[in-house]
Amino acid sequence: MTTRWLTPEEQRAWRAYVAGYLLLEDTIDRQLQQEAGMPHLYYSILANLSEAPERRLRMTDLAERLKITRSRLTYAVTRLEKDGLLRREECRWDKRGSVAVLTDEGMTVLERAAPGHVETVRAFLFDRLTPEQVGQLEEIFTQVTQGLQGGDSEAVPEDLPWRRRSSPCSGTP
Amino acid sequence: MTTRWLTPEEQRAWRAYVAGYLLLEDTIDRQLQQEAGMPHLYYSILANLSEAPERRLRMTDLAERLKITRSRLTYAVTRLEKDGLLRREECRWDKRGSVAVLTDEGMTVLERAAPGHVETVRAFLFDRLTPEQVGQLEEIFTQVTQGLQGGDSEAVPEDLPWRRRSSPCSGTP
DNA sequence: TAGGTTTGTTTCAAACTTGAACCAAGACCC
DNA sequence: GGGTCTTGGTTCAAGTTTGAAACAAACCTA
């Protein structure tokens, strides 16, 4: 099968995208590290928990929402637990499971960190986009996300050896 | 100063974007790791060199193009050098400098890896976007990139303590 | 209900990233 | 020439990520 290379437009888009997200992630990480002592992902963990009912989530659910591997999450949660920002509890219904719970201290840290974070996201992303572009951004990445793990098994070859298999994730019983 | 929180539209866009790029990067990394034995960044290093005149670039130039720190690049180049995919040479005009040169073997590896990589980028990104969206993607991230390091010092507060300072990068004398 | 499979999570070693500290060479200045 | 400042690059330790392997609990199924 002969390769369908990228068109010039696609190449330009691809390069702009890669450059942009690297710089943006880098900036966000640096800001959060500086002001909250943790990288972006760790902040997202706290943020996710803070919005969950009772501020608690199963590890697998959390990993699923964050789009990261469980092993990565384990490491991060261990660190945050050491810092006292969350604690682990065992799952009542499924003794295999464990649940991460945001502590009050975690909530405080999150609240303190949020303004600076939002300010950064604004300054370097949203303040530079028109409302239409905000919509386009959502649209584009929603499609990407769906393609990568939303249920549409039609369009994507199922048998690529290197694809991550998405475990069907269970919520509360 | 009171925080300007994200609007609901911005929130949705932000979440879609973060989810999307995590999944996409993850997929690309996994594919390249599987088929070429290296992560995305390392592939990009080879790709960049392959397009440069004489397949050679100053370390700083390379870091600048890739939007990564010099220290990160040093590590990556050391690994690729060990693998024989590139070699370091010292810079003739500036004895501090060193230059990364793509070897023939590196070129071969790159050429072998390219089709699979492009296929992945296509399958999970471009094949899912309309031509308009491709244009929008470019537009959006070009703006982000410029804001983050293009010269427009107007719009961005200069004195945020956590910003990366972009070293004015020098090319050939 | 024993035996086999799947699922939820952790563990471990190897690879990678980060930021600060360091070193040497150019540039500037008197 | 002899400071001093800047630039290009590497080094080092600490932190993070990866993927495979290990475990244990839950779920079949004969």
Side-chain angles (χ1 to χ4, degrees), chain A residues 29-47:
Chain A
D29 265 334
R30 202 184 309 300
Q31 184 269 328
L32 278 171
Q33 193 65 57
Q34 201 66 209
E35 298 187 7
M38 67 183 77
H40 189 190
L41 175 66
Y42 292 55
Y43 174 91
S44 301
I45 292 176
L46 301 185

Side-chain angles (χ1 to χ4, degrees), chain B residues 30 58-60 74 88 96 98 170:
Chain B
R30 202 184 307 300
R58 284 286 292 262
M59 293 296 277
T60 300
T74 295
R88 267 185 253 240
R96 291 168 303 181
S98 74
S170 67

Side-chain angles (χ1 to χ4, degrees), chain B:
Chain B
M1 211 251 289
T2 136
T3 306
R4 295 176 301 144
W5 299 101
L6 299 187
T7 67
E9 296 78 38
E10 288 169 337
Q11 282 215 30
R12 286 203 311 275
W14 180 242
R15 284 168 194 219
Y17 163 64
V18 172
Y21 87 72
L22 279 173
L23 284 171
L24 191 53
E25 249 317 270
D26 199 59
T27 303
I28 290 173
D29 265 334
R30 202 184 307 300
Q31 183 269 327
L32 278 171
Q33 193 66 56
Q34 201 66 209
E35 298 187 6
M38 66 183 78
H40 189 189
L41 176 65
Y42 291 54
Y43 175 91
S44 301
I45 292 176
L46 301 186
N48 254 279
L49 287 176
S50 78
E51 292 169 355
E54 295 185 72
R55 298 180 184 170
R56 60 172 56 239
L57 281 172
R58 284 286 292 262
M59 293 296 277
T60 300
D61 288 341
L62 198 43
E64 165 70 13
R65 292 184 189 217
L66 295 164
K67 317 299 182 199
I68 60 174
T69 61
R70 301 205 205 83
S71 120
R72 189 177 178 185
L73 180 61
T74 295
Y75 180 90
V77 163
T78 304
R79 195 264 232 196
L80 291 171
E81 189 174 28
K82 254 175 215 138
D83 293 350
L85 307 188
L86 55 75
R87 95 186 90 86
R88 267 185 253 240
E89 285 181 13
E90 61 174 34
C91 179
R92 221 164 305 136
W93 311 284
D94 183 345
K95 279 181 187 153
R96 291 168 303 181
S98 74
V99 182
V101 190
L102 189 64
T103 62
D104 289 346
E105 191 186 345
M107 194 65 190
T108 305
V109 167
L110 178 62
E111 279 167 348
R112 241 197 281 284
H117 174 58
V118 173
E119 192 47 51
T120 305
V121 173
R122 258 204 177 300
F124 297 108
L125 183 63
F126 291 114
D127 282 355
R128 303 173 173 277
L129 301 184
T130 64
E132 297 76 55
Q133 286 180 312
V134 175
Q136 294 163 2
L137 186 66
E138 181 189 352
E139 182 79 16
I140 290 171
F141 282 90
T142 299
Q143 267 160 248
V144 170
T145 302
Q146 281 177 355
L148 245 25
Q149 53 129 58
D152 77 327
S153 38
E154 299 293 353
V156 173
E158 272 306 336
D159 52 346
L160 302 181
W162 44 267
R163 288 198 66 207
R164 183 155 104 200
R165 45 182 75 261
S166 62
S167 59
C169 116
S170 67
T172 11

